[in-house]
Amino acid sequence: MNKLHMTPNPWAAAQTTVQCQNCSQVFAVQRINCIDTLLWPEGRQILDDNAVFHPVCPHCQTRADISYPSRYIDREFGIAAVLVPGIENQTPEAILPYMNRYVDRLALDGMEHRAVGNFYALAEQMRIHQHGLNDRAIQLLKPIIIGGLQSKGFEVWNGFFMDLLHPDGAEQMEDTMYMSTQEDMQAAYTEDVYQFYIYLTNGEIIPRGINDTAYQICMNILKDKELTDDDGLFHLYDLSWAINIHNSLYPN
């Protein structure tokens, strides 16, 4: 198979080193400081493939999860995201105002600005905007899916949007949750399905889908919370944010 010819990324640093968590060997990987799809069209594919950001140890073949500050700018999709490693474990209220003071230096007008904590979430932003979806509604879907798995005893770390599927018929898809505002569930089986990878704490990945009615319900939640409009500033919309929104719907 012929390899895809890649144009050089103008923001790729030479190398960085990674220590394998399995065998403790140190190996070199390419570090990508910025993906601007206007100047590096292949950046979307690189981000989607995950190979660069989750390299395999050449000594024991164990996949490593790396994280370092990086940016993703996509004028066509209207998204500018900044990766701040571990931001979900820090205080976003202290970080985001600092970033927003320099928002004009980080991206262009008319873009949605997002902060994320890892490369999984950075790639997720690319996929969400590629399909023209609302990323806050996508985040609100996660507690619904994860809650169903936790009720069955699964221990979940996080989940990330992967694709939007268009069913050919009206058959129920495997590993998919369906919500309906009608008694007849048959119509729900014809709806688009939002596909996620759910990551368990043991490293296992479970594919899960959820139908468009659930997405529309989440859009209505955003409308009721007056969160449908974007103000052009940096925001962190992640699983914790989504859980807090759902919890606010049913206060104690």
Side-chain angles (χ1 to χ4, degrees):
M1 181 180 296
N2 294 329
K3 293 184 178 180
L4 178 66
H5 175 71
M6 296 292 182
T7 57
N9 176 11
W11 289 286
Q15 286 183 333
T16 187
T17 58
V18 177
Q19 184 174 26
C20 178
Q21 295 180 345
N22 181 54
C23 69
S24 299
Q25 292 291 324
V26 176
F27 59 99
V29 298
Q30 182 185 20
R31 174 179 174 134
I32 298 179
N33 297 327
C34 180
I35 295 175
D36 186 334
T37 60
L38 181 65
L39 301 176
W40 194 34
E42 298 92 346
R44 289 177 188 158
Q45 180 178 336
I46 294 295
L47 186 58
D48 195 39
D49 284 345
N50 279 334
V52 172
F53 308 110
H54 308 289
V56 174
C57 173
H59 304 281
C60 69
Q61 308 306 311
T62 299
R63 189 187 69 175
D65 289 329
I66 61 176
S67 186
Y68 50 79
S70 186
R71 294 165 57 193
Y72 165 58
I73 302 173
D74 198 318
R75 293 161 180 82
E76 181 182 350
F77 293 165
I79 176 66
V82 175
L83 194 164
V84 182
I87 189 175
E88 66 275 8
N89 300 319
Q90 303 176 36
T91 307
E93 292 79 7
I95 298 175
L96 296 180
Y98 173 81
M99 296 172 63
N100 286 324
R101 272 186 283 167
Y102 302 98
V103 68
D104 58 332
R105 302 182 188 178
L106 297 177
L108 302 176
D109 292 339
M111 307 275 277
E112 289 190 345
H113 297 80
R114 298 292 182 260
V116 300
N118 52 66
F119 282 111
Y120 295 101
L122 196 65
E124 178 184 56
Q125 282 293 330
M126 183 271 294
R127 299 186 193 103
I128 291 172
H129 286 80
Q130 183 179 34
H131 289 287
L133 301 173
N134 185 297
D135 65 325
R136 286 148 288 180
I138 292 293
Q139 296 300 326
L140 289 175
L141 289 173
K142 294 179 182 180
I144 301 173
I145 300 172
I146 291 174
L149 289 171
Q150 289 175 329
S151 68
K152 298 178 181 178
F154 291 95
E155 296 184 5
V156 178
W157 166 61
N158 212 326
F160 299 96
F161 173 77
M162 297 301 296
D163 201 1
L164 181 62
L165 308 180
H166 309 286
D168 293 331
E171 296 184 2
Q172 184 176 3
M173 294 181 61
E174 187 178 357
D175 298 328
T176 299
M177 296 181 63
Y178 290 92
M179 302 180 69
S180 178
T181 57
Q182 305 174 12
E183 292 185 4
D184 182 13
M185 288 293 298
Q186 197 66 27
Y189 301 151
T190 67
E191 296 178 3
D192 289 346
V193 172
Y194 300 77
Q195 189 72 33
F196 290 79
Y197 276 179
I198 306 301
Y199 288 76
L200 305 185
T201 55
N202 64 4
E204 184 181 354
I205 302 174
I206 299 180
R208 280 294 185 275
I210 193 165
N211 68 322
D212 187 62
T213 291
Y215 179 80
Q216 298 305 324
I217 290 173
C218 291
M219 287 294 293
N220 288 334
I221 292 174
L222 294 176
K223 183 177 180 180
D224 292 341
K225 294 284 186 179
E226 298 183 348
L227 294 171
T228 53
D229 295 331
D230 189 83
D231 58 11
L233 299 178
F234 277 99
H235 291 280
L236 171 66
Y237 297 120
D238 60 1
L239 178 59
S240 295
W241 172 87
I243 292 173
N244 289 335
I245 292 293
H246 279 288
N247 289 341
S248 71
L249 301 176
Y250 307 101
N252 295 328

